[in-house]
Amino acid sequence: MDREIAAPRWAQLTYASFDRGDGAGGWQVKESRGGVEPGEMESISALFVTAFDSHAPLPEYPTPSDIAVQPRRFAYLLVRQTGPDGSFTGVVGEYIHAVQAGSDSTGRPGNVFTHAVLDRRPTDPAPQVRPIELWRSFDLLTPYGADQVLGAFLPDGDYPEAAGMVGLDMVVDFLFDPETWRIGVLSVLLDALDEAMRGGRRVLLVSPSADQAALWIASLSRLMPSSTARAVSFSVYERAARLASVWERGTLIASIPVEDLAALDEDDLARWIVVRDGETPALGQAGHSPHRTTLGSEIAPTDWSQLAQEVLLERETAEAALRELDDVAARVGDMGLPLLWPLAVAALRVDIGDGSLARAIAVSQLPGAALGDEVLLETLVAAAEAETGLGGSAATAWTALERLDPTTPAFVRDVATAGYLALALDDDSWLALPGGAPLPAEPVVAALAIRAVAVLERRLGDEVEPTVLLRLAETATRAGLLDAATDLAPSPALPAEPGGTPPAGDPAPASDGAAAIVDRAIARTLVPGLLVGAAEPLGAELPRLGDARVVHGPVFRAVDAHPSAARVPADALLSPAAVEWMLEHGPSPRLLDAIAATAVGDPAPVLALGASDRACLLRLADREGATSATVASAVLVRLATHGSWSADPELARITGRELWQAHPLLAIETAFPGALPAELLERPLACADASRELNDLALAVARRGTPTQEVVTAVARAWAQAATRSSIPAGNEQNVRTVVSRLVGRHDMLAMRVFGPLLVDAAITLATSDVAGEDWTVSELTALRASLATPELVEAALAVQTARSDAPDVALHRAAGLVAIAIVDAGSVPDVALPAQTVQLVDATDLDDVRLLDAVLDEVLPRVTSEPGLLASAVAEHLAEVSRSTGVERTVRSWLRSRPADSRPRATSTDAKTGSSARTDPKEN
């Protein structure tokens, strides 16, 4: 454990010349407590006094009275501590109390007894001890003579207790002594000490006695927080000859006896601020003239002396303010406080009169902790309001707010903002201004929002029109009131409204904050009119608010909390007009985030949406231009709320038109297996770019196992990707084959209605692939390949062939020829001509596979054209013209002869070069 944490805060030790009786006599530490470590001993021992050098030596045989009134040296130093590497480790307060102790055990005169105290944590806020309060403490040992020195032992207790010799009562008596006016010297000492604390000249007090010097230092300490007093190093009773070393140790203020004044030279008077106890200095005015002491020192006046003069006008208020100062400091932690702030607030709390300086200091220097104390906050708010002059209406308050000087303290501006907001919330005409009530850029500070919350609570506690309710909520939201004051409630310690008074009788029960107040009012007044079947429906007449957070926050929360929201589907809960009004303010950030998550395959956020967001989502999906992610999210909501796909003509039209991405579809299929309809799946499975997600989707849909159109499409896609090895992970080919093998025999179902250009590479490769071919029957491969010979692939096949003409591939040519056989014009007439490019593809294709050609003629052509004979005749005629009387030509002609006469085409003569055609009788060929 760290030593600084483990060690006690306080340590004590004594030092003198004495003999323990064991032969070890002389100057030495007599006793210590609190675990004084070597480094601490080294620091404190440099301050031990071995020669008192009193200006009034004791007689050879002093009486107890002589000993009691002898001068004491009492010093306090704040010492910086450093580690072995010289780095700063903290500060220690070192107290040194030394008295003359007569002769030591050897009879040698001039012994000095030193009692030292260490405060290892002087910055701790408690106890609120001021170092000077230990002056003449009964716990500080003052033995005289060898026997008393030997018998002096540290008293019980962690540190010496104050004896009250320079306590608050004594300080007030001292400052208000009717025989001596001391405010002049006090003012000079305050401003001189302020200079010294800022690194300027040190302060030397010339006093007739050490006791009176201690009272001066106590007076200074009482006008600052105790934590600050523990940062001011001082020394009571020094000698002029030793002042150089006193200042070297870091002392800011020291006293010497009047007898030493003659020892000061002109350089001393120039280097230091020298003040004589009892003098009447010439007091200056801040910004105009300095204070001047009788010894010629000039000191710049500060607010410290001015504030002290205001506080010390009357004894009763002065004593009350000085007592209040410690309470103010304690309420905010009494650590690192601005020098004058506790005194200024104390002055305001005891009502010193004008208080303008106190107000200015209190509102400009307040620490953040002050906002958390209701008692102090009341005083501070009153002070700030006195600086602003808001008036009694929202209009005058806004004018005053706009006219605040740029140098106005932030707290004053914050108080003005909160006061204006309270007035604005109580003025319907002001709320109805175009664009809403004007508001400053800065949001209301939480701690200052209490009055505004009180106004809001009162207004929303009554019957209020929905439009007024929304304007109140919008103004509170824009001002940050719902965020800032969520945990605040109107306090009986403050007036309910600006200029009002606390209610009589028992205080009202605490509210649970502005956000809850608004939520309850919206649930009571607005939500019933937004529901389907409302007696007084709301929607079109509601205003479009300038801040969408009102709708997305309080309104959505209230709707989502409605009892029906848990049991009624979102599209049946809110009226269409209500949803349109909500969407006038745009989708909520939650909804946008959920839609984005669905687009990358994460359905959880959209399934967690509340009723309001779900209703908006479904409406968004119905609108033109809805993105596939939006529609996917809407589908998820429908599935989650209805348990199955709900047939909605509008939504079905949207979903059928969209070329969805694989991410959202896979998310839905994973969350709700088998629930997606065919119209959502066919186009993506057929036309989307190959990807790992698309493959996973194809496998997931294929596992449904039923020979429906979307399953067949998924099977074809899965096999196409397996054949190209583009996206199938190693080891998954067999899984694909297993699924495909169950359905491929039903080749009549493998005709894909849409299989666009994005799949053409996979389609061509599949049509010619021998991948795992030994595991497939001829009929399976024939049927699967024939299913790819669709009209939609023709243009893509031609484009691919053209692009790859520099690297001819037999398999590619063969596939292109198969596709070319299936060319068709949907609105064909008996005239059919093969385009020149198609003729070239047929010429370059090996079509000797009679079994495959049979499948094409028997299965493909009848499905892709109303004139299969016409198309086959055109192909056969072309083959004859180019002298390719192969088995293919014979097969085609045999097939044509086998068809009924009325289905045979009229012969076509095609000119491959010109693309023209003429009708002929096929028998002539």
Side-chain angles (χ1 to χ4, degrees), residues 640-666:
T641 56
H642 294 278
S644 63
W645 172 251
S646 176
D648 183 319
E650 178 68 12
L651 189 57
R653 183 179 67 82
I654 295 291
T655 58
R657 186 183 65 240
E658 293 290 333
L659 176 56
W660 284 33
Q661 298 299 313
H663 274 111
L665 290 174
L666 181 59

Side-chain angles (χ1 to χ4, degrees), residues 188-203 252 270-273 297-302 304 339:
V188 171
L189 286 174
L190 285 170
D191 295 337
L193 182 57
D194 180 81
E195 180 182 329
M197 292 169 67
R198 298 174 186 273
R201 295 170 295 173
R202 307 304 170 89
V203 184
L252 299 181
R271 288 196 303 269
W272 312 323
I273 297 175
S297 295
E298 293 189 350
I299 306 97
T302 72
W304 197 2
L339 176 64

Side-chain angles (χ1 to χ4, degrees), residues 306 438 450 664 671 680 793 821 875:
Q306 179 63 36
I450 296 173
L680 270 68
L793 287 178
I821 293 176
V875 172

Side-chain angles (χ1 to χ4, degrees), residues 890-903:
R890 289 192 298 273
T891 300
V892 171
R893 291 192 183 280
S894 174
W895 180 79
L896 285 171
R897 284 192 296 272
S898 68
R899 295 180 60 77
D902 58 357
S903 67

